[in-house]
Amino acid sequence: MRLATSLAALLSAFGFWACSNNDFVAGTATQTENTVASLDTLKGEVHHKNGTKAKGAVVRMVLSSKWEDAGWSDFRETETDSLGRFLFTNVPADTFQLAVIDSASSEILYLPEASTEDDSLVLEAAAKVKGFLTLGDSALAPVSVGSHFKVYVSGIPFFESVFAPGAFELLVPEGSWTFGFCPGDPMVIEKLQESGIADSVIFRSWKMSKALKSGESLALDSLVWGANKKGVSAENDAPKREVDQKDTTAKTGTTEAPAVPKAWISGQVDCSNLDRCDSVEVMVITDLFGFGFANGLTLEYDIQARTDTLGRWWLPAPEEVPYDSFRVEYRQRSGETVTNVGLSRYVKKSELEGAKDTLSIGEATLDKYSWISVGVRLVVDQQDNQQSENCFMNSVVLGIEGTSHFVRTVTCNMYVLTYLPSGMQKLIFYSGDPVVVSALQEAGTPQYSYVSTVDQNLMAGNGIKELWLTYTPPTVK
């Protein structure tokens, strides 16, 4: 049996119901005739599409008359016996929603307005929604949320439990649906609400971009549950918290309460040309030009996350984005050796504004790394690009924009930058004296006047030999 139903009036109510205290009331399966004796009893028989009896199918009943009451949390559930029969007693109304789910055969039935007259039920092929749910950090919220979560279809009684991190498969009717996920323990939800976490943060949702047909499958990106910093109300905490706006930690006397990330970012590594894509190292690059590096000799690759077996990763969004965008860099190793690297697109700072959940930055392709051998000649007189006097009195910072690859070296020296992402990249260089750079920045000097950029097309698995650049020290007035 196919269905057509409107979700608009049901979304908010079911979002709470699916993640609240569900009292299971098991029906008793008995061998009776396929008729209903009274409004107090519901009994029926379930068949597969091929006509055989459906044994062990879950039958779930929800009262339609109380559906819009967001505080109502009861539903009734039982399983069919060896003859496909089920029984509910003490049915308080004559209309209700009925869902039958047979995971073994991947068949379901959904009746949005069933009645006690519906007693012979035939299953049909289900659509499948598959995904992976993870908890970003057990310390995201003022209370420990544990690992038990629920994934559900908004407005209809189809849901599954999942233990994060973990995969799930949800059988659903055909159609276009809105889905949600939230902690599976109603006491955890209550504590989160008491702590000032907004319901829109506790109950996450996403909507299908197109309708699913019976028998089709939809694979979702990683779902990450985490609390939103904007949803935390300090006034509801006891004792009162003193929050340092310059620090990410909220302090309570001698103890510290973990800060809640404002938003999350996620991405995926394209593994089509790789033997594996798990454990790829991930690093978010916010210092696009390496100015913060100028005081050091090297810049360490800071592993902030690793991909899962499907190449997916997730991280709290960067707290500060000093420029108009940021990038994400990837490295894959075989033992201690870097084998493949990659780089994300430039992610605009504006994309994070107002984000309450996870911002997907898309896929990135890994490839064999490239390298470049580059030197900088000192030019004091712009009319003579061969001058090289006072080489050791001047240093420069060399690097690839939006990556971790920066080095400070003296002019007239050749240096090799390696493990570079392939493709068109911006090679940049500027004064290696941090005092000079700071003075230029404080004076409001346009960046283009002291940061030189050279576009280079780097080939995967290959490099560029002896590229010489010319450098004229900037003048600070």
Side-chain angles (χ1 to χ4, degrees), residues 21-22 112 139 145 158 211 214 226 234 283 367 396 405 444 459:
N21 186 15
N22 299 315
V145 297
F158 288 82
S214 296
M283 178 180 178
D367 214 333
V396 293
H405 305 284
M459 303 298 293

Side-chain angles (χ1 to χ4, degrees), residues 336-356:
E336 297 297 321
T337 304
V338 176
T339 55
N340 297 284
V341 298
L343 196 61
S344 77
R345 64 183 177 89
Y346 284 92
V347 184
K348 294 295 185 182
K349 184 177 182 179
S350 58
E351 296 180 58
L352 288 177
E353 296 178 359
K356 295 182 179 180

Side-chain angles (χ1 to χ4, degrees), residues 181 204-205 224-226 228 262-265 354-359:
F181 60 103
R204 301 302 181 90
S205 65
V224 183
W225 189 93
N228 184 340
K262 177 181 178 181
W264 288 80
I265 56 175
K356 295 182 179 180
D357 203 337
T358 303
L359 170 66

Side-chain angles (χ1 to χ4, degrees), residues 445-452:
T445 307
Q447 185 172 293
Y448 65 81
S449 67
Y450 61 90
V451 175
S452 300

Side-chain angles (χ1 to χ4, degrees), residues 426-438:
K426 292 184 180 297
L427 176 64
I428 63 176
F429 59 102
Y430 52 87
S431 173
D433 187 337
V435 176
V436 172
V437 174
S438 296

Side-chain angles (χ1 to χ4, degrees), residues 129 172 175-179 206-212 218 220:
V129 177
V172 300
S176 180
W177 305 105
T178 297
F179 297 86
W206 79 98
K207 189 173 183 178
M208 292 170 52
S209 58
K210 63 178 182 178
L212 272 177
L218 172 65
L220 299 174

Side-chain angles (χ1 to χ4, degrees), residues 247-268:
D247 195 351
T248 59
T249 304
K251 300 179 180 180
T252 309
T254 59
T255 62
E256 293 185 350
V260 181
K262 177 181 178 181
W264 288 80
I265 56 175
S266 68
Q268 188 165 358

Side-chain angles (χ1 to χ4, degrees), residues 180-258:
F181 60 103
C182 65
D185 187 336
M187 293 188 65
V188 169
I189 292 177
E190 183 179 352
K191 289 296 183 182
L192 290 173
Q193 291 172 327
E194 290 176 354
S195 298
I197 305 297
D199 282 351
S200 60
V201 175
I202 300 172
F203 307 108
R204 301 302 181 90
S205 65
W206 79 98
K207 189 173 183 178
M208 292 170 52
S209 58
K210 63 178 182 178
L212 272 177
K213 294 182 180 179
S214 296
E216 291 184 340
S217 294
L218 172 65
L220 299 174
D221 291 334
S222 295
L223 306 179
V224 183
W225 189 93
N228 184 340
K229 191 171 183 179
K230 289 185 177 180
V232 178
S233 173
E235 289 77 8
N236 293 334
D237 293 339
K240 184 178 180 181
R241 289 195 281 179
E242 296 178 359
V243 181
D244 182 359
Q245 298 296 331
K246 297 181 180 179
D247 195 351
T248 59
T249 304
K251 300 179 180 180
T252 309
T254 59
T255 62
E256 293 185 350

